[in-house]
Amino acid sequence: MEKLEQLYKGKAKKMYATDDPDVLWVEYMNQATAGNGAKKAQIEGKGELNNRITSLVFELLKARGVDSHFIKRISATEQLVRKMTMFPLEIIMRNTAAGSFAARYGVKEGTELANPILEFCLKSDALNDPFINDDAMLALRLADKEQLAEISRQARAVNAALQDIFSKIDVQLVDFKIEEGTTGDGRILLADEITPDTCRLWDTRDHSGTVEHLDKDLFRRDLGNIIPAYEEIHNRLLQLATDEGLETIE
Ligand code: ADP
Ligand code: TMP
């Protein structure tokens, strides 16, 4: 596979064309951002950890019947994925109240929710990713009714599979964001990344009543260095993948 021109440089990744029109070459960068880029830092080792973590998560999801754009990891910081036409949506699932949900409804962070909550935001840096509902997504033709139903079904399936994965490594999956796209032949698939940048992950191993964040809230809220936390998530996922006999492990 040949790496060709850079197509896009985002806040966390660079996307390159390849000699196969259906395949993208993704490079994970060390850049960390929060508040839609308002806060920015270079954190040595973050790109490698997120590339390794999302690769393991996509493999573990696949073993649970959840397909994604992921093809394979090709180096410490790079992977190949299927090229998709992305829906301009941030698809958020919540199992526990936290972050903007806790603030919006005035509930304490950590409050258990009676059911998982699916939320959509319009993916737009210029507009600060505003909340959007089904009627507005349909009216703006961001997706049609069948596509929305499929995206919602997949988001709930991803949540169930991720809850299984993270509970096995003693981590509470509080909430997360995914992105979806369509392949050339119209199939809707999970894309982008699933990492501690895009999930809230709370450690459930012996800590005395305080939340131990293993995710980007450490950076967003100036709570500490993200690297040991991301390493912990990586090591636990690698152990789980090894225990499950998954292949792409080194
Ligand atoms: P952002 O654009 O939010 O700054 P990134 O730095 O992570 O985020 O950039 C990755 C970009 O690539 C995102 O805009 C994402 O929607 C897009 N993307 C993710 N997976 C695919 C894919 N399989 N095909 C095409 N685009 C993708
Ligand atoms: P929120 O509570 O700030 O709305 O975030 C919900 C989840 O979505 C949390 O796990 C972080 C993730 N997320 C992203 O990955 N990217 C984003 O741009 C936003 C707003 C949230």
Side-chain angles (χ1 to χ4, degrees):
M1 183 75 48
E2 214 186 315
K3 182 177 173 185
L4 301 178
E5 78 276 11
Q6 183 178 302
L7 299 174
Y8 180 79
K9 183 181 178 196
K11 296 187 290 292
K13 305 189 279 293
K14 292 180 190 166
M15 317 296 274
Y16 296 87
T18 67
D19 50 345
D20 182 335
D22 294 326
V23 176
L24 289 181
W25 186 298
V26 187
E27 184 191 324
Y28 280 72
M29 303 187 291
N30 283 334
Q31 178 164 281
T33 62
N36 195 15
K39 181 175 174 183
K40 220 184 247 189
Q42 295 298 317
I43 303 178
E44 190 59 36
K46 174 178 175 284
E48 172 167 356
L49 281 163
N50 274 353
N51 184 47
R52 290 183 184 278
I53 289 169
T54 199
S55 300
L56 286 166
V57 170
F58 284 136
E59 297 276 358
L60 288 158
L61 284 174
K62 192 169 180 199
R64 287 160 177 76
V66 177
D67 285 339
S68 73
H69 71 160
F70 181 71
I71 299 172
K72 67 172 176 177
R73 187 167 66 75
I74 49 175
S75 77
T77 55
E78 297 160 301
Q79 61 182 253
L80 300 177
V81 302
R82 288 181 70 170
K83 184 175 183 170
M84 320 267 296
T85 303
M86 301 301 289
F87 294 101
L89 297 171
E90 305 226 319
I91 303 153
I92 294 170
M93 289 291 318
R94 302 182 187 272
N95 299 304
T96 304
S100 70
F101 180 93
R104 192 188 316 143
Y105 299 115
V107 290
K108 198 166 169 282
E109 265 209 339
T111 306
E112 272 315 307
L113 300 169
N115 47 271
I117 295 168
L118 172 60
E119 284 178 5
F120 293 93
C121 292
L122 175 67
K123 194 172 153 66
S124 163
D125 284 346
L127 299 173
N128 226 344
D129 300 339
F131 196 89
I132 190 164
N133 72 8
D134 286 29
D135 272 352
M137 286 187 279
L138 293 171
L140 295 173
R141 298 185 176 85
L142 304 182
D144 66 29
K145 226 173 183 160
E146 289 68 38
Q147 288 173 326
L148 266 193
E150 179 59 14
I151 290 170
S152 304
R153 190 196 66 73
Q154 287 192 19
R156 292 182 192 282
V158 170
N159 187 39
L162 285 181
Q163 281 192 303
D164 178 62
I165 291 164
F166 283 110
S167 69
K168 287 196 161 72
I169 60 166
D170 303 325
V171 166
Q172 181 180 347
L173 178 65
V174 171
D175 56 30
F176 63 90
K177 183 271 297 181
I178 54 171
E179 296 184 26
E180 300 248 334
T182 49
T183 59
D185 52 8
R187 186 172 170 217
I188 293 175
L189 267 185
L190 172 64
D192 204 51
E193 65 175 83
I194 297 178
T195 64
D197 275 11
T198 62
C199 304
R200 284 198 174 88
L201 304 170
W202 292 357
D203 198 0
T204 58
R205 277 184 197 166
D206 52 53
H207 52 91
S208 50
T210 56
V211 170
E212 188 152 342
H213 300 269
L214 297 176
D215 57 54
K216 202 165 86 172
D217 275 349
L218 290 166
F219 174 74
R220 294 187 190 100
R221 303 177 183 187
D222 294 321
L223 296 173
N225 182 358
I226 64 167
I227 294 299
Y230 285 34
E231 277 171 348
E232 185 66 27
I233 293 293
H234 173 258
N235 292 342
R236 291 190 200 179
L237 287 172
L238 186 57
Q239 184 62 53
L240 178 65
T242 307
D243 292 348
E244 292 189 5
L246 298 183
E247 263 175 22
T248 54
I249 293 160
E250 64 179 69

